[in-house]
Amino acid sequence: CVYSPDGRFLTYPSSRKKVTTVDTFTWQVVKELESDYSTVDSCVYSPDGRFLTFGGDGKKVVTTVDTSKWQVVNEFQADGNVSCCVYSPDGRFLTYPSSRKKVTTVDTFTWQVVKELESDYSTVDSCVYSPDG
């Protein structure tokens, strides 16, 4: 589960094929997003709350939704399970494991891949930015 930065929304995987967002003032469902994931393992809001990004197992993509319209704005391919997604503190970059030994960083202004880093680990399960980016 993840709260939007302003606390207005709570998003969680509600079934094997859906990601549900509720309004925390009314606790009413705002949006149910269909997904092709067998499970959703990661949901994260951008620091300004404009984007919601999620990934999981099965579909091998990272999906980003514009929260003003609740429409998909981008999907990136991944070579394996997407166990985490993280935005830089300023929201400029989105980072996620794109394969068992690779971490991908995307520029959220252009939606272009800016860097792919190789890892010596067999899987990458977590990503984090330092507070200063």
Side-chain angles (χ1 to χ4, degrees), residues 32-49:
E32 282 189 322
L33 299 164
E34 296 288 331
S35 76
D36 292 331
Y37 301 103
S38 56
T39 59
V40 175
D41 295 328
S42 178
C43 294
V44 64
Y45 280 92
S46 61
D48 63 3

Side-chain angles (χ1 to χ4, degrees), residues 4-68:
S4 61
D6 63 2
R8 173 91 190 269
F9 301 114
L10 173 65
T11 300
Y12 59 95
S14 58
S15 74
R16 296 185 66 147
K17 300 283 185 181
K18 291 183 183 176
V19 176
T20 299
T21 299
V22 296
D23 182 315
T24 59
F25 296 141
T26 65
W27 296 105
Q28 298 298 310
V29 172
V30 174
K31 187 68 176 177
E32 282 189 322
L33 299 164
E34 296 288 331
S35 76
D36 292 331
Y37 301 103
S38 56
T39 59
V40 175
D41 295 328
S42 178
C43 294
V44 64
Y45 280 92
S46 61
D48 63 3
R50 181 173 175 206
F51 299 115
L52 169 66
T53 300
F54 55 91
D57 194 16
K59 189 175 179 186
K60 297 184 180 179
V61 297
V62 175
T63 303
T64 298
V65 174
D66 182 326
T67 60
S68 67

